[in-house]
């Protein structure tokens, strides 16, 4: 047996776990603030939920899905992303008449990619989907939620919003024809992946990382120059409102995104602090996805953030997140009962406490110093005068504080 996590997966604990909780709870808080409600969908779905909707030519469908047959012979896939699952859920639950629908979700996603820093085979996303509105203001809501989320995680200075439009279906089709016309004469010089994409999904060639592809696409036509009037107007309204809200952005006319369901707005919040895995939050509008999945003509827009990448960024900003735990130390065995009662009272008031369970007082102090910032010594001389000793375990400083109003006094000392 290999006592190791499978390649591209990892255990999350200690400091990393506190970053994990911090990112997810901030996302929930902000999504609720914007009027979204939570949804939890299964980790696996029938394979066709993803196969049909993410795009036959997408890397995810072609190379990255964890697909298996179960014992009943159904083909199932571990979800590689959350949008198709959420749309499947609103259709299954019969919610498509109650629009607009605003859902947020979180959890593990699975893609068979080459693992590296910030790229895993099991990774975590938090996402939101705003379904049933064709207004550019819905895009602005998703973008301003994303911006507030990243800002409140303290990342405003190291992220940048890149945005583009690929227009509606008509604009996309026009553009596709122009692009294929431009690329076909140079087909043989394109990378193998891009040659395949030329047939299936030529727009993806624009964001190829291959140097030769990059050189060829430098002068390729751009989606922006093939937009019809309504697509142009749509994008302008999104951008104008971002400016009014003070959300900085730059237009990246090569940004097309890797999933087939996008129409109109596409965006990525990127950072230079993570090497090549710079996209920390991405999304866009998908006006045909719900219809294609059989749920009626419901346009949508959404985003998903890479929790793992945000955790790495937070770690760079605050490498030591000090755990303020209070160690409760009974002097003698006879003091254990009082220690338990005090610990219960302090916990009920929201103070994090723990009590080493074995050993004499010096052993207990030693154990407490591993995990705790302070120790509260229950018993001894002070106790007889209704006082208690609080010791700062890093400075060694001791204070005698009254037992009366203990919670308030401790909070003042520990969380000044
Ligand atoms: P995506 O760009 O494929 O979009 O993924 C969203 C985010 O997930 C990325 O920006 C990145 O931070 C993170 N991510 C993706 N793959 C990995 C990986 N292998 N390891 C670590 N992090 C990763 C979507 O999934 C769309 N469903 C977003 C969306 C929602 N569009 C509309 N609504």
């Amino acid at each position: 047996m290999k006592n190791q996590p499978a390649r591209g997966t990892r255990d999350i604990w200690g400091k990393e776990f506190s970053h994990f909780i911090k990112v997810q709870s901030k996302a929930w808080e902000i999504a609720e603030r914007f009027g979204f409600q939570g949804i939890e969908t299964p980790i696996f779905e029938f394979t066709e939920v993803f196969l049909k909707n993410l795009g036959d030519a997408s890397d995810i469908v072609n190379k990255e899905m964890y697909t298996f047959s179960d014992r009943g012979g159904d083909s199932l896939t571990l979800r590689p992303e959350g949008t198709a699952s959420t749309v499947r859920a609103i259709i299954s639950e019969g919610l498509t008449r109650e629009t607009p629908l605003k859902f947020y979700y979180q959890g593990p996603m699975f893609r068979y990619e080459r693992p590296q820093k910030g790229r895993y085979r099991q990774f975590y996303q938090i996402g939101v989907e705003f379904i049933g509105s064709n207004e550019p203001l819905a895009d602005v809501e998703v973008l301003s939620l994303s911006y507030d989320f990243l800002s409140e995680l303290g990342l405003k200075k190291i992220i940048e919003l890149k945005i583009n439009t690929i227009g509606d279906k008509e604009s996309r089709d026009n553009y596709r024809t122009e692009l294929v016309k431009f690329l076909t004469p140079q087909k043989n010089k394109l990378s193998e992946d891009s040659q395949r994409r030329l047939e299936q999904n030529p727009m993806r060639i624009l964001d190829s990382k291959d140097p030769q592809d990059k050189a060829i696409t430098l002068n390729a036509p751009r989606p922006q120059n093939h937009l019809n009037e309504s697509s142009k107007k749509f994008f302008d309204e999104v951008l104008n409102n971002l400016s009014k809200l003070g959300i900085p952005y730059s237009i990246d006319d090569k940004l097309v995104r890797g999933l087939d369901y996008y129409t109109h707005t596409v965006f990525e919040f990127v950072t230079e602090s993570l090497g090549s895995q710079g996209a920390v939050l991405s999304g866009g509008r998908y006006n045909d996805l719900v219809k294609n999945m059989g749920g009626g003509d419901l346009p949508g827009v959404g985003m998903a953030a890479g929790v793992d990448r945000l955790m790495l960024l937070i770690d760079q900003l605050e490498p030591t997140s000090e755990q303020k735990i209070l160690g409760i130390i009974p002097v003698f065995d006879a003091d254990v009962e009082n220690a338990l009662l005090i610990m219960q009272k302090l916990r009920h008031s929201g103070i994090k406490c723990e009590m080493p369970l074995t050993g004499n007082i010096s052993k207990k102090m030693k154990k407490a110093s591993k995990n705790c910032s302070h120790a509260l010594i229950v018993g001894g001389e002070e106790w007889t005068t209704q006082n208690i000793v609080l010791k700062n375990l890093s400075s060694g400083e001791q204070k005698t504080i009254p037992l009366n109003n203990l919670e308030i006094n401790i909070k003042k000392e520990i969380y000044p």
Side-chain angles (χ1 to χ4, degrees), residues 70-252:
D70 71 3
R71 288 168 193 269
D74 285 324
S75 176
L76 301 171
T77 293
L78 298 182
R79 62 180 180 195
E81 60 103 54
T83 309
S85 305
T86 306
V87 172
R88 196 275 308 138
I90 64 160
I91 298 172
S92 320
E93 299 304 324
L95 298 174
T96 50
R97 277 198 220 112
E98 297 168 33
T99 57
L101 293 157
K102 292 163 66 179
F103 280 118
Y104 68 87
Y105 53 86
Q106 55 83 41
M109 308 288 160
F110 304 85
R111 296 183 192 174
Y112 188 81
E113 292 193 84
R114 197 167 47 78
Q116 62 182 84
K117 184 182 166 198
R119 187 162 72 194
Y120 309 96
R121 290 180 175 173
Q122 174 170 334
F123 62 99
Y124 297 82
Q125 281 187 346
I126 64 94
V128 306
E129 309 297 345
F130 189 144
I131 296 171
S133 170
N134 206 5
E135 293 299 317
L137 281 181
D139 307 43
V140 174
E141 280 284 272
V142 169
L143 282 158
S144 68
L145 180 158
S146 307
Y147 185 67
D148 282 0
F149 167 53
L150 297 173
S151 301
E152 289 187 29
L153 284 177
L155 306 175
K156 198 191 233 168
K157 292 209 175 99
I158 54 168
I159 48 126
E160 192 195 342
L161 167 58
K162 297 197 162 193
I163 191 164
N164 194 20
T165 180
I166 46 182
D168 59 9
K169 191 169 177 315
E170 184 188 62
S171 310
R172 231 180 117 142
D173 288 348
N174 285 341
Y175 174 62
R176 192 190 147 106
T177 313
E178 286 304 310
L179 186 63
V180 172
K181 221 190 274 175
F182 174 88
L183 291 173
T184 305
Q186 313 181 70
K187 182 175 174 185
N188 294 340
K189 289 192 231 147
L190 290 170
S191 67
E192 215 175 287
D193 266 349
S194 291
Q195 292 194 18
R196 181 174 46 81
R197 287 186 183 129
L198 187 58
E199 256 110 85
Q200 296 171 315
N201 189 356
M203 272 160 67
R204 284 306 314 282
I205 300 175
L206 285 191
D207 66 5
S208 163
K209 305 278 177 286
D210 181 276
Q212 176 81 355
D213 290 351
K214 275 187 172 176
I216 293 173
T217 52
L218 206 59
N219 297 317
R222 297 288 194 260
Q224 286 238 357
N225 302 331
H226 295 82
L227 298 176
N228 57 20
E229 276 313 305
S230 61
S231 298
K232 253 188 228 161
K233 188 162 169 272
F234 191 97
F235 194 46
D236 284 346
E237 263 187 72
V238 174
L239 298 182
N240 286 340
N241 282 298
L242 287 181
S243 302
K244 277 186 206 137
L245 291 173
I247 300 174
Y249 62 83
S250 63
I251 295 175
D252 178 350

Side-chain angles (χ1 to χ4, degrees), residues 54 60 64 80-84 105 109-111 113-114 116 118-129 257-259 261-262 267-269 277-286 301-310:
L54 309 188
I60 296 184
E64 297 170 3
E81 60 103 54
T83 309
Y105 53 86
M109 308 288 160
F110 304 85
R111 296 183 192 174
E113 292 193 84
R114 197 167 47 78
Q116 62 182 84
R119 187 162 72 194
Y120 309 96
R121 290 180 175 173
Q122 174 170 334
F123 62 99
Y124 297 82
Q125 281 187 346
I126 64 94
V128 306
E129 309 297 345
R257 309 261 307 121
L259 296 152
Y261 50 60
Y262 291 114
F267 61 86
E268 279 183 357
F269 284 84
Q277 302 308 308
V280 294
L281 184 157
S282 13
R285 179 164 275 281
Y286 46 89
V301 54
M303 67 84 174
V307 173
D308 314 72
R309 294 181 188 176
L310 294 173

